């Protein structure tokens, strides 16, 4: 009796793991087999044509790249500095540190669509409209509308916790002795942070950046109404832009003939998936390498 | 005497530092603290600015009379629509979406909890090292799937499969949406549960083996109960992820405003309502305000769930293990 129970209990846990792995394999193989036929160099380098049923996805790729670049320029320094504060400038028990940590963990759990609302309510309606009132010639709308700029800012806020957590972990892995040695040589805290601690935490900053970029390339909800467009020529940061995830969403829901675009949908999904996987694996690899190096040192 | 004073000084004061560097140091400290405080402020900014766009529902007399009486209205019969924000006689009842979110979340959690907790037990207690080194990155991979991709998969594969299985009239429904959403909750619950299970002190397991318990008895009766607070935290965070998921339900749950406990009819969730309708509203309109009000609900709910997970569960976990170890 006990043995039967044991086999059942142990077996059910093994089954659960097998099920998860199977699901991953099924999703990947169905997307790869569905998309590989359409995938070509041409698909990546030409813009969509014929009501999205023909052509490639060069403009969505271009828009995604612009979005994650702009997002990183703002989000990575911001996240890194916050992580430096948490790891270097306060003790674990300081009240502000606890508040910041709590705020960051909450930020990570807020639904992504709410970030979209925030982008619309804060960046576009408050900051953008405010900037127009102050700088734009009478009656012109330059900043107070959906644009690449505000979508990138929204995405920077969304990915902030990812950056903070990765960088902070890396900072904590830098051995205490490094800091003590630097301080003992007469360096100030700031010198120690910039010349000793941060160079040894580059791996963490890199990991955080890659994970944030991977998130930024795939998240659609925050850009639904902050700047993504069905079709756009992005000429400046105040233009709208196309985005791979959003493009896929449009293909599935709003193209004139959904069935006809199915091969394009598969291929777009495949490109998006390959991109996020490449990024995620690089992040895992970089983190692993740097951890190893520090442990050896 | 002098030595004692030097001893008591902070390390950085004992050596000579150039004054310019000292000033730079002080400036950097202020700047870094300011940035960190701004990071703290963001969470409040989010609440303030989504509430700002929703506040007319409470503070504008005309809108208040229009919205608040209908906000939780139940339909009198099956055919009465209670969310008609752009009709001449608008109604703003959130009941269809509340029920929709509840249904898809229930389905997602019903699937995600057993699978991820059992998988975590296997990984933490039974798995050989090499299996662990496959499973963990694989789960990280699953966590990295963009939700629009999972929505696509739900649309092309899960929907057809489930329709054949259940014989449902509609291809897209709460079950299909819920299954796809569970794929986003599984990595979260698994990761946190696995951490909690692995953190249970080895001594407890060894004591259990010493008393003659088998491997599975130890896993289920000793390790699992000890890790309950952590697993509970994981489940809460998974729940937060599940009800806040937008793209998957937007694509795969069917988006129909039906007030029904039937899981096989098309369903619209709170998040999908914002996602689908925000693009078409007039700025400052009542409809616009109500969509932001839904955002406030989602925000507050996620913060509550996260706070319970943070304070209550982490605190208990710490106490338990610091007492045991």
């Amino acid at each position: 009796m006990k043995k039967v129970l044991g086999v059942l209990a142990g077996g059910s846990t093994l089954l659960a793991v097998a099920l998860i792995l199977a699901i991953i394999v099924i999703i990947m193989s169905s997307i790869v087999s569905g998309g590989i036929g359409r995938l070509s160099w041409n698909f990546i380098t030409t813009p969509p044509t014929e009501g999205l049923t023909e052509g490639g996805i060069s403009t969505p790729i271009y828009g995604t790249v612009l979005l994650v670049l702009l997002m990183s320029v703002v989000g990575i320094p911001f996240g890194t500095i916050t992580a430096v504060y948490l790891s270097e400038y306060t003790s674990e028990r300081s009240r502000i540190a606890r508040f910041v940590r709590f705020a960051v963990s909450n930020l990570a759990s807020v639904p992504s669509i709410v970030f979209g609302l925030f982008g619309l309510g804060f960046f576009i309606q408050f900051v953008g409209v405010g900037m127009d009132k102050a700088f734009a010639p009478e009656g012109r709308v330059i900043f107070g509308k959906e644009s690449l700029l505000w979508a990138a800012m929204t995405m920077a806020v969304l990915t902030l916790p990812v950056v903070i957590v990765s960088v902070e972990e890396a900072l904590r892995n830098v051995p205490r002795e490094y800091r003590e040695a630097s301080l003992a040589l007469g360096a100030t805290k700031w010198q120690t942070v910039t010349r000793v601690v941060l160079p040894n935490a580059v791996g963490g900053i890199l990991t955080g950046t890659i994970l944030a970029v991977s998130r930024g390339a795939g998240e659609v909800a925050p850009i639904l109404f902050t700047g993504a467009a069905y079709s756009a020529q992005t000429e400046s940061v105040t233009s709208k832009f196309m985005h791979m995830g959003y493009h896929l969403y449009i293909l599935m829901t709003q193209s004139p003939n959904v069935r006809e675009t199915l091969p394009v949908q598969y291929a777009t999904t495949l490109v998006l998936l390959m991109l996020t996987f490449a990024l995620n694996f690089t992040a895992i690899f970089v983190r692993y390498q740097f951890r190893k190096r520090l442990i050896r040192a | 005497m002098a030595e004692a004073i030097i001893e008591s000084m902070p390390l950085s004061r004992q050596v000579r530092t150039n004054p310019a560097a000292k000033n730079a140091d002080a400036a950097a400290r202020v700047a870094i603290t300011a940035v960190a405080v701004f990071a703290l402020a963001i969470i409040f900014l989010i609440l303030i600015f989504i509430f700002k766009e929703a506040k007319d529902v409470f503070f504008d007399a005309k809108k208040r009379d229009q919205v608040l009486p209908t906000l939780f209205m139940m339909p009198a019969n099956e055919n009465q629509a209670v969310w008609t924000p752009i009709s001449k006689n608008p109604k703003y009842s959130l009941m269809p979406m509340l029920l929709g979110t509840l249904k898809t979340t229930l389905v997602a959690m019903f699937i995600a909890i057993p699978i991820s907790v059992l998988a975590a037990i296997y990984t933490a207690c039974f798995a050989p090292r090499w299996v662990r080194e496959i499973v963990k990155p694989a789960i990280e991979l699953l966590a990295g799937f963009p939700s629009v991709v999972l929505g696509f998969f739900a649309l092309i594969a899960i929907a057809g499969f489930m329709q054949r299985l259940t014989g449902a009239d509609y291809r897209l429904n709460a079950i299909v949406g819920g299954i796809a959403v569970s794929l986003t909750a599984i990595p979260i619950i698994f990761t946190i549960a696995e951490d909690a299970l692995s953190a249970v002190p080895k001594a407890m397991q060894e004591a259990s083996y010493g008393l003659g318990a088998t491997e599975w008895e130890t896993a289920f009766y000793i390790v699992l109960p000890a890790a309950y607070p952590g697993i509970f935290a994981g489940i809460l965070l998974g729940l937060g992820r599940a009800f806040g998921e937008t793209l998957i339900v937007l694509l795969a749950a069917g988006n129909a405003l039906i007030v029904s406990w039937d899981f096989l009819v098309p369903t619209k969730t709170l998040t999908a309502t914002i996602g689908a309708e925000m693009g078409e509203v007039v700025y400052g309109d009542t409809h616009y305000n109500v969509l932001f009000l839904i955002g406030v609900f989602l925000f507050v709910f996620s913060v509550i769930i996260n706070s319970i997970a943070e304070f209550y569960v982490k605190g208990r976990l710490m106490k338990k293990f610091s007492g045991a170890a």
Side-chain angles (χ1 to χ4, degrees):
Chain A
M1 182 59 208
K2 216 171 166 188
K3 224 172 192 169
V4 174
L5 250 175
V7 170
L8 278 180
S12 67
T13 63
L14 181 60
L15 197 69
V17 170
L19 191 63
I20 295 179
L21 295 180
I23 291 169
I24 298 173
V25 171
I26 290 171
I27 298 179
M28 304 248 295
S29 58
S30 80
I31 289 171
V32 170
S33 68
I36 201 90
R38 187 61 186 255
L39 196 62
S40 65
W41 182 246
N42 210 24
F43 182 72
I44 299 174
T45 53
T46 54
T49 50
E50 313 285 330
L52 308 183
T53 55
E54 291 297 322
I57 50 167
S58 69
T59 34
I61 293 179
Y62 175 65
T64 310
V65 170
L66 289 181
L67 176 79
V68 297
L69 275 180
L70 202 56
M71 168 200 91
S72 304
V73 167
V74 179
I76 305 302
F78 189 19
T80 304
I81 294 171
T82 310
V84 165
Y85 174 79
L86 285 174
S87 150
E88 309 295 317
Y89 282 86
T90 58
S91 76
E92 195 71 33
R93 263 171 286 160
S94 126
R95 185 166 292 168
I96 303 182
R98 280 214 319 247
F99 270 130
V100 174
R101 221 176 281 278
F102 180 62
V104 170
S105 97
N106 272 318
L107 206 55
S109 68
V110 169
S112 54
I113 189 86
V114 174
F115 284 96
L117 293 178
F118 174 63
L120 180 58
F122 179 69
F123 288 122
I124 297 178
Q125 297 300 349
F126 183 73
V127 181
V129 169
M131 278 165 77
D132 278 346
K133 270 188 194 138
F135 307 118
E138 199 55 45
R140 290 255 332 256
V141 176
I142 299 171
F143 293 105
K145 61 178 171 48
E146 299 172 25
S147 68
L148 175 65
L149 177 66
W150 301 135
M153 295 300 113
T154 308
M155 210 57 110
V157 176
L158 174 87
T159 53
L160 197 60
V162 180
V163 180
I164 295 176
V165 169
S166 301
V167 177
E168 204 199 339
E169 196 205 330
L171 293 172
R172 292 201 180 279
N173 282 339
V174 176
R176 233 178 94 91
E177 291 79 8
Y178 286 26
R179 298 183 180 87
E180 284 166 355
S182 166
L183 292 173
L185 289 170
T188 62
K189 181 133 206 167
W190 175 237
Q191 287 168 330
T192 306
V193 167
T194 48
R195 294 180 207 172
V196 177
V197 181
L198 279 177
N200 278 296
V202 170
I205 299 172
L206 218 56
T207 314
T209 309
I210 297 167
L211 290 176
V213 166
S214 149
R215 190 85 195 272
E219 253 330 322
V220 177
I223 58 167
L224 277 177
F225 32 80
T226 52
Y230 177 94
S231 169
Q233 296 293 326
T234 310
E235 279 138 7
S236 77
V237 291
T238 57
S239 315
K240 284 186 155 198
F241 66 105
M242 292 179 80
H243 178 272
M244 280 159 71
Y246 186 73
H247 187 64
L248 178 60
Y249 166 68
I250 291 294
L251 284 173
M252 277 187 277
T253 55
Q254 267 147 57
S255 65
N257 188 339
V258 174
R259 195 152 287 281
E260 223 171 282
T261 64
L262 203 57
V264 186
Q265 291 177 32
Y266 267 111
T268 309
T269 312
L270 184 56
V271 174
L272 184 57
L273 209 53
M274 286 192 322
L275 180 75
T276 45
F277 280 2
L279 288 168
N280 283 332
F281 267 124
T282 316
I284 295 172
F285 182 73
V286 168
R287 191 167 49 196
Y288 181 72
Q289 285 297 320
F290 273 84
R291 217 179 263 163
K292 219 166 59 184
R293 211 183 73 186
L294 273 180
I295 289 165
R296 225 188 294 136
Chain B
M1 182 67 199
E3 271 172 40
I5 293 171
I6 291 177
E7 282 288 347
S8 69
M9 284 173 155
L11 198 56
S12 56
R13 292 282 166 77
Q14 290 173 31
V15 281
R16 209 174 296 154
T17 306
N18 116 38
K22 257 188 191 166
N23 290 337
D25 187 50
R29 177 180 292 271
V30 173
I32 288 172
T33 310
V35 170
V37 169
F38 187 61
L40 166 70
I42 284 178
I43 195 86
F44 296 106
L45 284 182
I46 293 180
L47 181 60
I48 291 168
F49 278 92
I50 54 176
F51 184 75
K52 182 173 163 271
E53 303 295 318
K55 70 173 193 313
D56 283 357
V57 170
F58 301 104
F59 298 129
D60 180 310
K62 192 165 153 269
K63 287 181 177 177
R64 187 174 53 214
D65 293 340
Q66 222 170 28
V67 174
L68 292 188
T70 63
L71 204 54
F72 297 103
M73 190 173 118
M74 286 296 279
N77 59 56
E78 254 179 47
N79 299 320
Q80 192 196 6
V82 287
W83 172 263
T84 53
I86 42 178
S87 76
K88 269 202 189 109
N89 181 17
K91 294 196 192 75
Y92 300 96
S93 171
L94 302 184
M95 289 316 285
M97 297 84 117
L98 275 172
L99 201 62
T101 293
L102 198 62
K103 282 197 290 188
T104 51
T105 309
L106 271 179
V107 173
M109 297 314 279
F110 188 74
I111 296 167
I113 293 173
I115 290 183
S116 38
V117 172
L118 286 173
I121 293 175
Y122 180 78
T123 314
C125 302
F126 304 133
R129 220 187 126 91
W130 66 271
V131 174
R132 211 170 302 170
E133 268 162 24
I134 295 174
V135 173
K136 283 187 149 188
I139 302 264
E140 262 186 76
L141 208 67
L142 184 60
F145 274 87
S147 58
V148 65
V149 169
L150 292 175
F152 173 68
F153 180 72
L155 214 54
I156 56 155
I158 301 177
F161 177 76
M162 286 310 292
Q163 194 174 27
R164 277 197 299 279
L165 201 70
T166 58
D169 295 338
Y170 305 96
R171 234 169 74 84
L172 303 180
N173 51 51
I175 302 265
V176 173
I179 292 174
V181 170
S182 77
L183 298 178
T184 67
I186 285 175
I188 297 177
I189 304 178
F190 172 87
T191 307
I192 300 171
E194 207 268 339
D195 271 352
L197 289 162
S198 303
V200 174
K202 271 274 171 294
M204 281 171 82
Q205 292 173 54
E206 279 154 14
S208 165
Y209 293 140
L211 291 169
T214 61
E215 219 183 6
W216 74 267
E217 283 175 318
T218 309
F220 278 84
Y221 297 143
I222 306 295
V223 181
L224 183 62
Y228 270 156
I231 292 172
F232 185 55
I235 290 174
L236 280 179
L237 295 179
L239 175 72
R241 183 66 213 269
F243 84 82
E245 180 51 57
T246 307
L247 256 293
I248 293 177
V249 286
L250 195 54
L251 289 166
N255 291 326
L257 293 156
I258 302 170
V259 181
S260 153
W261 272 109
D262 186 350
F263 282 75
L264 289 171
V265 297
T267 298
K268 195 168 195 173
T269 66
L270 292 168
T271 51
T273 307
I274 302 177
E277 298 177 15
M278 187 52 92
E280 284 142 28
V281 295
V282 181
Y283 170 71
D285 187 43
T286 315
H287 186 191
Y288 173 91
N289 299 139
V290 176
L291 290 180
F292 269 92
L293 185 66
I294 298 177
V296 175
F297 279 158
L298 291 171
F299 178 90
V300 170
F301 194 58
S302 75
V303 166
I304 290 174
I305 287 187
N306 188 59
S307 305
I308 299 174
E310 281 272 312
F311 280 131
Y312 172 74
V313 184
K314 263 192 195 160
R316 270 190 56 177
L317 199 65
M318 290 298 158
K319 224 187 275 170
K320 206 161 174 176
F321 286 152
S322 53

